[in-house]
Amino acid sequence: MSAPTLHTAHPTDAVERARDAADRESWAEAYALLHAHDLHPSRGLTADDLSVLADAAWWSGRTDESVTARLRSHAAFLAAGDHRGAGLAAWWLHYEYASLGRPAAAAGWLHRARHHLEDLPPCPEQCFLAWTDAEEAEQHGDGAAALAAARRMTRLAVRSASPDLVALGRQAESAVLLANGRRTEALALLDDAMCAVTAGELSGMFTGWLYCLALTQCMEAADFGRAVEWTNAAMEWCAPPWTGRPAEPGRETETLATASLADENPFRGVCRAHRVEVLDLLGAWALAEEEARQACREVPVDCLESAAAAFYAAGDVQRRQGRLDEAAVSYAHAHELGRIPQPGLALLRLAQGRADAAVAGVDLALACQSDPRHDLLGRARLLAARTEVALAVRDVPGASRAAAELDALAGDVPLLRATADTALGAVALAEARPGPALRLLRQALAGWLALRVPYEAAQVRMLLAAADRTAGDEEAARLELAAARAVFERLGAVPDARRAAALLSGGKRRRLPGGLTAREAEVLRLVAGGGTNKDIAHALVISEHTVSRHLNNIFAKLGVGSRSAATAYAYAHDLL
């Protein structure tokens, strides 16, 4: 992209205007002025001006130019004997090279940053080294060293009196505390840091950092209330700054020329990806899918994990709406970008009747999660899916184990508690314990309704209806089914809406799925109940040869290759 054309100005005036634009965080304007000035060999830029050019290039989506300018600023600081300036430039080069997927270069510049800064008296630039130390210690599982580094960062930040560094230091300390199970302390510190963010007290870079870090932290910790609040605030902050604002008199051409650059807020796609997850839970599925597509277009190349999360969330929406082929494509895109698309893919395979693949997928994902403490919500979702898949293949003991682990994980965190109560209630129902099932499921329903999460609440109503019918309360069952169907229809969850409608119709004759005959459906129900060919032959008063023939026909019609897959199909299509 070529630089925008601006009004001709004296070189010194242009640099002064660029500095003023940087102070206002009008990065597109600062970039255009400094880039044009820098094209002339006779016009030099100071080390500080080169740092501004690097920042402006970064905000404009020109990462390579940012690195080049930063290299020059480091050399200029070093030539002037300014080790603080050189150390900060070196740290930024470490950060940018790491973002570009060049770990060796990143490590080299981090070493240089340490060389420049570690022997100096306490200074603000050392905050960045302490932040890096905290993250590295946490990655190596050394919680004590991570906490010491985060607290060193906070002390340096307070001493510097920089609102940016103080807020970032408190967030870093909060992240370490949360990873070590100290939830109350962690969230108190995070709230403190986010006060400065939402009050507009911080610079753009630190505002973006803190929104990204805090939103990730809240979702992983299953703090849905904070995630909703801060996602909305983040997207408001990410909106183009010129929207609805007239250009300054005499600068209309410049405003038009630089608008496309100002649109390149590198944090927008990342914040939007978090918003997709929130919208998904809130049941705004159409908007969530639209936002997911937009996030994938906006996410910077160094934040592809956010694009992967957006693709995954879109896949979940499509799966629950019965758009299974589209969901498979979305999960595949998420996988290509480095995300394990579980448990969504396992639940997709279950809906397709591929129970073996569902079990294997969710088990592998659980085994691959190196430290569940770092992503409580992710672990909870995997365990909830493991419970559902196990119940689908009649592995009640396996479902019970998964639900018990989920119960232990949940504590009193509302989102996790509702997830755990749902799983425990489903297991109790499968174990023919309607009393405990009703108690747990009513707790789960209250939790989901309080969180305003409609799809999961409707799913619990379906389980409650089954428990009510088991307990002999047909009227209560019909009320739950009617409420669930209304939610499913509003969300566009077509398979669930059909299932609720079929259960509401009671004993009325309905068309069997997959082209099954009534006799084949009987055989399938007995297979799902664990019956052998001999058991089925005895129950239906037919020969074992006839049972085998029926099974061959069932497998062919449903496109499955095993009894467990046929059982999963029966479960998914309410044939049991």
Side-chain angles (χ1 to χ4, degrees), residues 346-439:
L347 297 173
L348 173 65
R349 297 303 179 223
L350 187 62
Q352 294 170 329
R354 297 173 56 186
D356 293 343
V359 172
V362 76
D363 281 350
L364 182 61
L366 282 165
C368 286
Q369 204 175 28
S370 57
D371 189 350
R373 295 175 306 165
H374 284 229
D375 188 1
L376 292 177
L377 182 57
R379 183 74 176 181
R381 284 171 164 167
L382 286 170
L383 290 168
R386 183 65 181 89
T387 305
E388 183 175 347
V389 169
L391 291 175
V393 298
R394 292 297 187 266
D395 176 15
V396 178
S400 181
R401 288 191 297 272
E405 183 183 342
L406 179 51
D407 183 36
L409 182 78
D412 59 358
V413 180
L415 186 60
L416 300 184
R417 186 71 264 153
T419 304
D421 286 342
T422 301
L424 292 167
V427 170
L429 185 59
E431 292 173 339
R433 297 187 291 122
L438 284 167
R439 177 180 58 81

Side-chain angles (χ1 to χ4, degrees), residues 171-456:
Q171 188 283 326
E173 190 174 342
S174 167
V176 174
L177 289 170
L178 194 60
N180 286 276
R182 297 164 65 175
R183 186 183 181 91
T184 302
E185 295 172 75
L187 294 177
L189 275 174
L190 185 60
D191 286 345
D192 187 314
M194 293 307 291
C195 279
V197 175
T198 55
E201 297 170 2
L202 308 185
S203 67
M205 173 60 77
F206 285 79
T207 296
W209 263 345
L210 281 158
Y211 272 131
C212 286
L213 294 167
L215 289 172
T216 300
Q217 196 171 330
C218 287
M219 289 305 294
E220 290 179 350
D223 193 323
F224 189 53
R226 284 179 172 86
V228 172
E229 182 177 348
W230 291 338
T231 299
N232 292 335
M235 289 310 300
E236 184 176 337
W237 172 75
C238 283
W242 68 89
T243 300
R245 186 181 68 190
E248 296 177 28
R251 301 178 71 174
E252 295 85 353
T253 303
E254 181 178 322
T255 300
L256 290 173
T258 59
S260 61
L261 289 177
D263 193 32
E264 297 288 347
N265 183 330
F267 295 105
R268 185 178 304 142
V270 179
C271 291
R272 198 183 301 278
H274 287 296
R275 186 171 185 237
V276 170
E277 294 185 77
V278 169
L279 291 171
D280 179 25
L281 281 168
L282 292 174
W285 288 357
L287 182 56
E289 193 173 357
E290 178 185 330
E291 292 282 271
R293 287 194 293 268
Q294 184 67 18
C296 293
R297 289 191 289 267
E298 292 176 347
V299 164
V301 69
D302 58 327
C303 295
L304 293 183
E305 67 275 10
S306 296
F311 274 121
Y312 177 83
D316 274 355
V317 170
Q318 292 154 353
R319 171 179 55 80
R320 287 174 299 196
Q321 290 185 329
R323 299 153 55 196
L324 303 188
D325 290 342
E326 293 176 65
V329 171
S330 293
Y331 290 143
H333 284 319
H335 184 264
E336 288 167 5
L337 292 173
R339 178 181 179 126
I340 297 175
Q342 298 290 3
L345 184 59
L347 297 173
L348 173 65
R349 297 303 179 223
L350 187 62
Q352 294 170 329
R354 297 173 56 186
D356 293 343
V359 172
V362 76
D363 281 350
L364 182 61
L366 282 165
C368 286
Q369 204 175 28
S370 57
D371 189 350
R373 295 175 306 165
H374 284 229
D375 188 1
L376 292 177
L377 182 57
R379 183 74 176 181
R381 284 171 164 167
L382 286 170
L383 290 168
R386 183 65 181 89
T387 305
E388 183 175 347
V389 169
L391 291 175
V393 298
R394 292 297 187 266
D395 176 15
V396 178
S400 181
R401 288 191 297 272
E405 183 183 342
L406 179 51
D407 183 36
L409 182 78
D412 59 358
V413 180
L415 186 60
L416 300 184
R417 186 71 264 153
T419 304
D421 286 342
T422 301
L424 292 167
V427 170
L429 185 59
E431 292 173 339
R433 297 187 291 122
L438 284 167
R439 177 180 58 81
L440 288 162
L441 292 171
R442 284 172 181 154
Q443 284 177 197
L445 179 60
W448 291 122
L449 292 175
L451 289 165
R452 299 183 182 178
V453 178
Y455 180 76
E456 280 73 9

